[in-house]
Amino acid sequence: MSSGLPEPWTVRFSKSKRREYFFHPETKQSQWEEPEGTDHQQLKQYLAEHPLRVRCLHLLIKHRDSRRPASHRSEHITLSKEEALQELAAYQQRLEQGERFEDLARERSDCSSFKRGGDLGHFAHGEMQPAFESVAFALPVGAVSAPVETDSGVHLIKRVA
Ligand SMILES: O=C(N[C@H](Cc1nc2ccccc2[nH]1)C(=O)O)c1cc2ccccc2s1
């Protein structure tokens, strides 16, 4: 689906101003206003279907090959990746039995976001590790991912916005 923007303009999200802006990848020009010739309705429809930001909760289980094999739970994580995946599968079952994602993230996540029920807040493209980002942006709101592997460990991701 077209963005409604004239080629090759793209739309991005400004974290500082918390709003979208328009970027021309050849001239490197950026501006707040919609470029000349934009189909406004099509752009609004496009943004409704291709959000520039998502908000997710996640439950991370680190293992001995994680980038930083330590967390508030353990100074030295020795779990193997296979053991971490087995433990994550048990949390998937508990979610399927109706337990709240936030409660399980608070109980078990090795990410410092555990304190907020695994809430990472809103993030745009380019802010999280690629494998995490692509799954997060592909999730429907309210859905929980299958296990996702990143350099940090193995995750379950719930998209909430
Ligand atoms: O990178 C973080 N924490 C790392 C673990 C980690 N690695 C991740 C990789 C992708 C998404 C979230 C991730 N969390 C740590 O604690 O070792 C973040 C913590 C928080 C806390 C609040 C909001 C965003 C973030 S991102």
Side-chain angles (χ1 to χ4, degrees), residues 58 60 62 68 110-113 120 128-129 132 152 155:
H58 81 129
L60 168 64
K62 292 189 175 183
R68 189 173 72 88
D110 282 313
C111 175
S112 59
S113 59
L120 295 170
M128 298 292 175
Q129 289 178 50
F132 190 97
S152 297
H155 313 245

